[in-house]
Amino acid sequence: MWSSFWRSVDRFSLQHFKCIVNELREIKLVDYKNRDPLVDLLQSIVEIVTYGDSHDPLIFECFMEYQVLAEFLRLLKISGDSSIEAPLLQYLSIMIQNIQTEHAIYYCLSNDYINNIITHCYEFSDGDLAYYYVSLLRVMSGKITRETLCLLVKAHQQNCRTSHLETVISFPLYTEALKFAHHEEKMIQTAIRTVTLNIYNVCDDMVYQFITTPPVSDYFSDLVLYLRKRCFHLDKIVHDKKEAWNFERSKLVLESDEITNDLYYFQDMLSVGEPRLSKIVTQNIFSLLVFPTLLPSLYLRDTNDMNKCISATTSLYLLSQIIQILKGTNIIHFICALFLYIPIFSSMKESMESVAADTTNQTHVFERYVSELDQTVQLQCDGANDIRRNLMLKQLLECMSSNSGFISFSPGNMLQKSDEIIHNVCSNSHCLMLASLMLLVGLLESKDIDPELAAITAIPEIKSRIRKMLLEILASRTSVQLQLEAAWVLRRLLLVSVDKNLEDNELQLFKTSCELSTEHLKKELDECWFDYIQDTLKNEWTSCKKALEQPLQSKDPFFVLELSFGQNTTSICPTSALAWQHMVDAVKGFIIHHQLKSYIFSGYSFDNALANLKDSFSRETNGSDLSRGSFGSELSLGSAIPCKIAFSKTGTRDVYMMPLATGKSGKLILLEPHPLYSRKGVVIAIAPLAGLNLSIVENQPTWLLLRLRDTKPRFSSIQTRGHDSSPCIREPGNRWILRFPDAQVCNTAYAMVLKEINKQRSVVEGMLTTFLQNIPS
């Protein structure tokens, strides 16, 4: 009946809308029989209301008059089939998302309809209902303002002698959203965080009082505890010894990304700029994560007493992430205090462990920790030399426990305590030392830090010790990734230092390190990948320069975990893969040293020498006719030597062996006799001359054994996050056994191959020597 009538009226007319609403009112029970027609009605209502909001005010007046939102709520209550809930919430979200006029939004938020729909008892175990429900919450949170917020909260009036105070007792949009905060679906988690941030940005004093008061405020402690759980899991991945490098490393990247996302969420909260919100977030981070979990490992260091906290490397990584992501003077200043005065905090081991174990009442954890720290400071006041430091810490405690937040440091009280910094950055572990220095660089370059704090690291003893340790890493036979990070830290420290020049002994150490890097590069001429040295120089130059010049803001401390992770994993690689990686590392180490040299010495430039190398590389490539020796091509046999070779599928075949080196390229070619031309052959197999391991078989003087390297190396830029730095080359296991007519011919073939290999190596060596001579001293 209704369908025939609708065809006679305008789809978006007021009359049509009234007809649809009347039909909706007639529904007394929702089940599988009328579900589909009901969904069509809901869709039509939403379309017409959205249209009327911008084109026909009478439609929305009818929407209010007929109390359509009340009908939506009624449908939820009479539904015998929960499958109607998802489309109802979906279309309600679409409608609210698309209405724009203020009075329409105001009406939708009024009369408690939305609150009742939010608090309706849903069965979220069914299908996508949770997604549509959370989507409605997200849309609602985006529509509220400071003026309309009061429509979604319930307040209780308290009578006082001087004034009437209202206290919020219910805020369904917020409290119901929090129930999905740790949902297994990442999309739902993200939506809930959007809901909370939208609310925080429009809250008034009354609502903030509700949000920051237990039990609602437990949300913040739950977030930090959840983050702490992630930190322990991350640390477990870092220190698990597994052979499956790729799988474990992907887990490491995934977990660190999750932690980073959590920290950015906290930063979004701090960015709201509400003091009460900032205070509760900061206090929970320090009382539940930094104090009990990160701080103990910084003084336990290399001991085995690590059952109740995570490792020092992971702690330093997390602290670096905190100061990079959580912007704010209070946080930066207090982490400075932790970093500089670890010996004081280390005396609080038992109290920190008790705080970490107590998760039953997190409300007063921060205050308890402040009290314990206050007692420790008082016990430390026996020595006259420590009085000023203890006074500073005591002032810090007073400000921490007050509403004003933290304090500004007085660097003058710290200058006599340089041993604390040295204690933190000195370690037998290069990875741990770089993790400490990464944190120190982050503190020094933070725009929120007191500029005078940089004077601490200008103390000659500290500056000299740190630079020497970094230069020793560069001079050692460590991994190229470790050298790169040491070079990056050294450059950043030079940039923030008042005196940007190295001392004479430091310059001598660096000069020695540069000479060693050059020697390591030259040694690769005797290895199996010498023909790729120039290609590697060309390919890795830009990536190394970009990595060294990376600003702190975009520097991911993840390298700290990656270095530590690499120390705790084993990898079985074929011989040629290890040789390839060794060559690439030698080239990168050479580039890193000379890039750093250009920063240390003004006017030093490495670019001209590299440009000359590229030009010579281009000329040599263009002038080469070796490309004609491709599979299936025809070549003149010339000095090729006849022999036999056995293939597994085709048996023994008569072939010609031809070693051919032109410029830096070299190939060992096997040809079959041409069917038409006696002095020509057809290429059937090719192997690189470089890396060819050949020998005459013992007791078989006519057999020449040739072991081949892999011919498909992969160039990879220096990366950190998301890049698998393990070798990717696969050992083919190929070998050729060539049988010659007699021993003399076999020896001739052996000498011919060696001659061409040496010819190829001499060209590469000459080009590399010219390149090195063009580098300024």
Side-chain angles (χ1 to χ4, degrees):
M1 178 184 71
W2 285 109
S3 59
S4 61
F5 176 77
W6 289 349
R7 285 194 291 269
S8 64
V9 297
D10 183 7
R11 180 185 177 190
F12 293 103
S13 68
L14 179 61
Q15 183 182 11
H16 185 197
F17 181 66
K18 290 180 178 180
C19 292
I20 295 175
V21 174
N22 285 330
E23 185 170 357
L24 187 69
R25 286 178 161 185
E26 293 177 3
I27 297 175
K28 305 302 180 184
L29 177 66
V30 180
D31 55 23
Y32 71 94
K33 295 179 181 180
N34 63 353
R35 178 191 180 278
D36 291 341
L38 176 56
V39 171
D40 291 338
L41 286 176
L42 293 174
Q43 180 179 353
S44 297
I45 289 174
V46 169
E47 289 176 350
I48 296 173
V49 171
T50 303
Y51 170 82
D53 180 60
S54 56
H55 296 88
D56 189 352
L58 294 178
I59 291 179
F60 200 84
E61 289 181 9
C62 181
F63 176 83
M64 294 186 292
E65 179 184 350
Y66 281 64
Q67 297 186 354
V68 178
L69 283 180
E71 292 299 318
F72 281 16
L73 180 60
R74 184 181 66 85
L75 291 175
L76 289 175
K77 293 180 178 180
I78 67 172
S79 174
D81 182 2
S82 60
S83 61
I84 194 61
E85 295 174 344
L88 188 148
L89 294 176
Q90 178 186 12
Y91 285 123
L92 181 58
S93 299
I94 293 173
M95 184 186 73
I96 296 176
Q97 177 71 49
N98 287 281
I99 59 176
Q100 301 296 329
T101 58
E102 293 184 7
H103 80 279
I105 297 173
Y106 190 91
Y107 171 79
C108 289
L109 299 179
S110 304
N111 301 315
D112 240 13
Y113 294 137
I114 292 298
N115 277 343
N116 289 328
I117 291 175
I118 290 174
T119 56
H120 177 74
C121 185
Y122 299 94
E123 292 292 336
F124 290 111
S125 58
D126 296 338
D128 296 329
L129 181 59
Y131 170 79
Y132 291 116
Y133 179 79
V134 169
S135 179
L136 174 63
L137 301 183
R138 179 182 57 79
V139 170
M140 293 304 307
S141 69
K143 290 294 183 179
I144 59 177
T145 63
R146 290 185 180 271
E147 290 72 27
T148 59
L149 178 66
C150 60
L151 301 175
L152 294 178
V153 301
K154 293 182 180 179
H156 174 71
Q157 191 173 45
Q158 296 179 341
N159 293 325
C160 300
R161 293 181 179 180
T162 57
S163 61
H164 296 284
L165 299 177
E166 284 189 328
T167 303
V168 174
I169 59 174
S170 174
F171 189 5
L173 176 62
Y174 183 73
T175 55
E176 294 301 317
L178 297 188
K179 296 178 181 179
F180 294 86
H182 303 297
H183 195 275
E184 59 185 9
E185 291 290 337
K186 186 65 179 177
M187 186 179 298
I188 291 180
Q189 286 187 31
T190 303
I192 294 303
R193 292 186 175 187
T194 302
V195 171
T196 57
L197 291 173
N198 286 340
I199 292 173
Y200 297 151
N201 277 286
V202 298
C203 278
D204 55 20
D205 292 341
M206 188 172 60
V207 178
Y208 264 121
Q209 183 65 32
F210 173 78
I211 288 174
T212 57
T213 302
V216 181
S217 62
D218 290 346
Y219 170 63
F220 301 102
S221 59
D222 289 342
L223 279 176
V224 179
L225 291 174
Y226 192 73
L227 173 60
R228 189 171 75 177
K229 183 179 179 181
R230 285 192 184 278
C231 294
F232 275 103
H233 186 227
L234 177 72
D235 193 56
K236 183 177 183 297
I237 297 174
V238 170
H239 296 284
D240 272 353
K241 295 183 178 181
K242 302 290 184 181
E243 291 187 2
W245 168 279
N246 291 338
F247 177 71
E248 289 300 318
R249 190 181 183 284
S250 64
K251 289 168 57 179
L252 183 69
V253 172
L254 179 63
E255 196 64 33
S256 63
D257 284 342
E258 293 294 337
I259 290 174
T260 301
N261 290 337
D262 289 345
L263 291 175
Y264 273 112
Y265 179 46
F266 286 123
Q267 171 55 26
D268 289 337
M269 293 184 188
L270 297 175
S271 298
V272 173
E274 164 58 40
R276 282 166 294 187
L277 180 63
S278 298
K279 179 181 178 182
I280 196 170
V281 169
T282 304
Q283 288 188 351
N284 276 284
I285 288 175
F286 278 98
S287 62
L288 300 181
L289 179 63
V290 175
F291 288 152
T293 306
L294 306 184
L295 180 59
S297 62
L298 298 186
Y299 64 82
L300 290 174
R301 286 287 170 159
D302 299 323
T303 68
N304 295 322
D305 188 13
M306 300 288 291
N307 295 328
K308 297 184 180 180
C309 60
I310 62 179
S311 67
T313 303
T314 307
S315 292
L316 289 165
Y317 161 75
L318 292 168
L319 288 172
S320 295
Q321 285 287 64
I322 288 173
I323 65 172
Q324 279 193 346
I325 297 174
L326 302 185
K327 310 297 183 183
T329 305
N330 292 343
I331 291 176
I332 297 297
H333 282 188
F334 193 71
I335 290 181
C336 276
L338 298 182
F339 192 69
L340 296 174
Y341 296 106
I342 284 176
I344 287 183
F345 293 102
S346 66
S347 64
M348 303 177 58
K349 178 176 181 292
E350 294 182 0
S351 63
M352 283 189 292
E353 291 177 350
S354 65
V355 169
D358 182 10
T359 59
T360 59
N361 184 10
Q362 300 296 345
T363 304
H364 303 294
V365 167
F366 192 77
E367 286 76 8
R368 288 176 52 198
Y369 193 90
V370 169
S371 176
E372 293 285 348
L373 185 56
D374 182 54
Q375 295 177 18
T376 304
V377 171
Q378 293 178 12
L379 293 175
Q380 295 280 336
C381 289
D382 295 337
N385 292 333
D386 290 333
I387 292 178
R388 296 200 320 187
R389 176 177 63 178
N390 293 332
L391 286 175
M392 186 277 294
L393 284 174
K394 194 166 182 62
Q395 291 174 341
L396 177 66
L397 296 174
E398 293 173 356
C399 292
M400 284 167 50
S401 58
S402 69
N403 292 333
S404 61
F406 302 105
I407 70 166
S408 296
F409 281 118
S410 176
N413 296 337
M414 305 177 189
L415 296 179
Q416 297 180 358
K417 294 299 176 181
S418 60
D419 56 320
E420 277 85 356
I421 291 183
I422 294 179
H423 166 80
N424 291 339
V425 300
C426 288
S427 172
N428 294 329
S429 166
H430 289 159
C431 179
L432 191 58
M433 183 190 73
L434 284 175
S436 299
L437 289 174
M438 178 68 188
L439 177 59
L440 180 61
V441 169
L443 292 171
L444 291 174
E445 292 197 31
S446 171
K447 65 181 180 62
D448 296 311
I449 201 64
D450 190 329
E452 295 183 15
L453 184 63
I456 300 175
T457 55
I459 299 173
E461 182 183 2
I462 298 179
K463 182 176 65 174
S464 176
R465 186 75 175 272
I466 291 175
R467 289 180 178 179
K468 181 181 178 183
M469 290 186 297
L470 292 171
L471 290 171
E472 287 175 347
I473 291 179
L474 290 171
S476 63
R477 294 300 299 268
T478 57
S479 70
V480 67
Q481 188 69 28
L482 196 62
Q483 290 186 3
L484 173 66
E485 304 306 341
W488 181 87
V489 171
L490 179 58
R491 180 173 178 266
R492 300 312 302 183
L493 290 176
L494 290 174
L495 288 175
V496 300
S497 175
V498 177
D499 182 9
K500 302 183 184 300
N501 299 319
L502 296 179
E503 301 293 336
D504 290 342
N505 60 329
E506 296 168 348
L507 288 173
Q508 184 60 42
L509 181 58
F510 179 66
K511 181 180 179 182
T512 302
S513 181
C514 288
E515 292 172 352
L516 288 174
S517 72
T518 303
E519 291 302 316
H520 295 159
L521 178 63
K522 289 180 178 180
K523 287 181 180 179
E524 291 302 315
L525 289 169
D526 298 324
E527 303 299 330
C528 67
W529 292 97
F530 69 84
D531 53 330
Y532 275 89
I533 291 177
Q534 289 160 302
D535 298 278
T536 308
L537 278 166
K538 181 184 65 174
N539 280 277
E540 299 298 338
W541 167 257
T542 302
S543 61
C544 288
K545 183 176 183 179
K546 182 178 179 181
L548 278 177
E549 294 178 345
Q550 189 175 22
L552 176 67
Q553 292 75 14
S554 59
K555 179 69 172 179
D556 193 341
F558 182 77
F559 79 85
V560 170
L561 298 182
E562 190 168 48
L563 291 173
S564 181
F565 179 70
Q567 294 174 355
N568 293 283
T569 55
T570 57
S571 179
I572 300 176
C573 300
T575 303
S576 67
L578 292 176
W580 167 261
Q581 195 64 44
H582 193 274
M583 183 275 294
V584 173
D585 287 350
V587 172
K588 288 180 179 178
F590 173 83
I591 294 174
I592 289 168
H593 276 82
H594 287 272
Q595 285 283 5
L596 187 59
K597 191 175 182 180
S598 66
Y599 303 135
I600 294 176
F601 300 101
S602 59
Y604 176 87
S605 176
F606 192 31
D607 294 328
N608 291 335
L610 186 70
N612 293 334
L613 177 68
K614 292 180 179 179
D615 290 341
S616 63
F617 170 75
S618 300
R619 289 193 299 270
E620 185 275 329
T621 302
N622 294 333
S624 173
D625 61 355
L626 192 62
S627 59
R628 293 185 293 124
S630 58
F631 183 80
S633 64
E634 298 178 3
L635 294 179
S636 174
L637 293 178
S639 59
I641 300 178
C643 59
K644 293 181 181 292
I645 185 171
F647 291 107
S648 58
K649 295 183 179 180
T650 59
T652 302
R653 298 168 68 172
D654 291 322
V655 296
Y656 287 85
M657 184 202 77
M658 178 189 293
L660 183 60
T662 303
K664 76 178 189 65
S665 301
K667 297 178 181 179
L668 180 65
I669 303 173
L670 297 184
L671 305 99
E672 275 190 329
H674 197 284
L676 300 178
Y677 306 103
S678 60
R679 296 306 300 166
K680 285 189 176 183
V682 179
V683 178
I684 63 170
I686 303 173
L689 280 178
L692 195 63
N693 188 341
L694 67 162
S695 61
I696 297 175
V697 180
E698 187 176 0
N699 299 325
Q700 297 290 341
T702 62
W703 290 10
L704 183 62
L705 173 62
L706 303 100
R707 292 185 176 86
L708 315 180
R709 75 175 191 197
D710 190 349
T711 59
K712 296 180 180 180
R714 183 186 73 179
F715 291 103
S716 60
S717 299
I718 292 182
Q719 298 181 12
T720 303
R721 180 178 294 271
H723 173 71
D724 182 5
S725 59
S726 61
C728 69
I729 304 168
R730 299 290 180 260
E731 185 71 65
N734 289 342
R735 67 175 186 172
W736 294 350
I737 298 180
L738 304 180
R739 189 176 67 187
F740 295 88
D742 53 50
Q744 182 178 358
V745 176
C746 185
N747 286 327
T748 301
Y750 179 86
M752 182 183 294
V753 173
L754 287 181
K755 178 182 177 182
E756 293 298 309
I757 293 176
N758 291 331
K759 176 183 175 183
Q760 179 188 8
R761 180 181 285 109
S762 296
V763 172
V764 175
E765 184 177 5
M767 295 176 68
L768 185 61
T769 300
T770 302
F771 166 68
L772 295 175
Q773 289 174 347
N774 290 332
I775 297 176
S777 59

